[in-house]
Structures are given as C-alpha cells and as structure tokens.
C-alpha cells in the first residue's frame, strides 16, 4: 500500500478503512498528492503534520483541515503563501490578523475580499492588495476607494479598477 500511495497519493481512496486511518500511509499519500487528505480518516484531518504536508503539496487541502487547524497561524500562513484564497477557509481571528492578510494579498490582491472590515480599511493592507491586483479596490473600505494614492495604484495596476472608485 505504501508503494501505491507513493506513486499515486489518491490511491488512498481505495484503501481499507484502517489504512486510511494509518498515519504513515496517509503521510505518504499527501506528500504525493495533497488532495489525498480528503480520503484520510477524520482524525488525520486534525493531525498538524499531516495537514501541513498536504497543504505544502496542494494548498487546496487546507479546506479539509479541522476548524482547530484552520485557526492555527502557522498552518494558515503556509496555506496562504501557496494559495492566497485559502484565506477564505481560515478562522475569523486569522482573517483579522494583519500579517496573515498581508501575506495573502501579496500573493493575490483579490484575497482582500476575505479579510475583516477593519483590514479593508487598513491603508497599508489595501495598498499591497491593489499593487498586486488593481481590481482588489472593489473590496476596500469606501474611504480608501476615495484615497488618491490608493486609487492611482489600483488604476496603474489595472485600468478598469476605476469602476470601483468611491464617488
């Protein structure tokens, strides 16, 4: 079974129930294909090492982590570094964490849409977002959508950001 999942991580889907609960088997599977986490036993969705390995291989695996791990700052940072929109699956307190949100918008400015209202009004966070993707202006607080520097940065990055300028 280990050889099979080393070659094709998703083969864990066809493994017996006890093998899908075997940490060693699942670790090998997620190292090959992070999405193999989907077929792992539920208790392994709470195993920090297993989830981190899965996220490193495929950040989409983050959405299958337990709520506790979606509130784990290191796990969330790893996920958003690899896929900014993983922020949507992060616990609310981490969507309010300035460093986490900055990391996400540095990857994709439109990840700003998953931040809390306080961070949508944070000038530095919004500037980072619109520098990466001008269309992120859509998600900024109204006062920042009327801020000359923010608007210029957004339009410099993508001309059609003009449609999101506060009037």
């Amino acid at each position: 079974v280990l050889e099979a999942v080393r070659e094709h991580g998703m083969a864990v889907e066809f493994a017996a129930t006890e093998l899908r609960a075997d940490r060693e088997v699942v670790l090998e599977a997620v190292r090959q294909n992070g999405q193999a986490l989907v077929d792992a036993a539920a208790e392994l969705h709470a195993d920090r090492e297993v989830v981190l390995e899965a996220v490193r291989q495929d950040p989409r695996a983050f959405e299958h982590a337990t709520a506790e791990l979606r509130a784990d700052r290191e796990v969330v940072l790893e996920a958003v570094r690899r896929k900014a929109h993983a922020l949507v699956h992060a616990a609310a307190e981490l969507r309010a964490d300035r460093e986490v949100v900055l990391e996400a918008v540095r990857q994709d400015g439109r990840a700003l849409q998953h931040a809390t209202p306080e961070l949508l009004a944070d000038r530095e966070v919004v500037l980072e977002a619109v520098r990466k993707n001008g269309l992120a202006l859509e998600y900024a607080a109204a006062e920042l959508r009327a801020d000359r520097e923010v608007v210029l940065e957004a339009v410099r990055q993508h001309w059609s950001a003009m449609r999101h300028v506060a009037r």
Side-chain angles (χ1 to χ4, degrees):
V1 174
L2 276 174
E3 282 306 311
V5 297
R6 278 187 189 121
E7 288 291 317
H8 303 284
M10 293 305 289
V12 77
E13 173 185 2
F14 304 106
T17 304
E18 65 272 5
L19 291 173
R20 292 193 333 233
D22 184 301
R23 189 172 188 276
E24 182 182 5
V25 169
V26 172
L27 262 172
E28 285 299 325
V30 300
R31 284 181 181 130
Q32 200 283 323
N33 186 326
Q35 286 295 305
L37 183 62
V38 171
D39 296 306
E43 64 268 16
L44 292 174
H45 293 226
D47 184 306
R48 193 168 191 274
E49 183 184 359
V50 169
V51 170
L52 275 169
E53 284 293 332
V55 166
R56 286 180 184 125
Q57 202 289 320
D58 185 339
R60 295 174 301 166
F62 178 65
E63 69 186 88
H64 304 292
T66 60
E68 180 180 87
L69 289 178
R70 284 184 276 122
D72 180 307
R73 196 164 191 277
E74 182 186 346
V75 174
V76 172
L77 279 168
E78 188 69 34
V80 300
R81 282 183 185 121
R82 294 171 187 283
K83 184 175 188 256
H85 290 276
L87 186 61
V88 72
H89 301 293
E93 65 268 18
L94 290 174
R95 289 194 315 270
D97 182 305
R98 194 167 189 274
E99 182 186 347
V100 169
V101 173
L102 276 168
E103 190 65 43
V105 300
R106 285 180 182 129
Q107 302 305 314
D108 182 344
R110 291 183 61 105
L112 183 65
Q113 68 188 292
H114 308 301
T116 58
E118 296 79 25
L119 292 176
L120 298 179
D122 182 308
R123 194 165 191 277
E124 182 186 349
V125 170
V126 172
L127 274 168
E128 279 292 329
V130 300
R131 283 181 183 129
K132 193 68 177 174
N133 186 328
L135 297 177
L137 184 63
E138 173 183 2
Y139 308 109
E143 66 270 15
L144 292 177
R145 286 186 284 117
D147 179 291
R148 183 175 175 7
E149 182 184 1
V150 172
V151 169
L152 285 173
E153 280 295 329
V155 172
R156 189 174 294 128
Q157 202 289 318
H158 199 292
W159 66 270
S160 65
M162 280 301 294
R163 69 178 176 226
H164 302 299
V165 174
R167 302 188 197 282

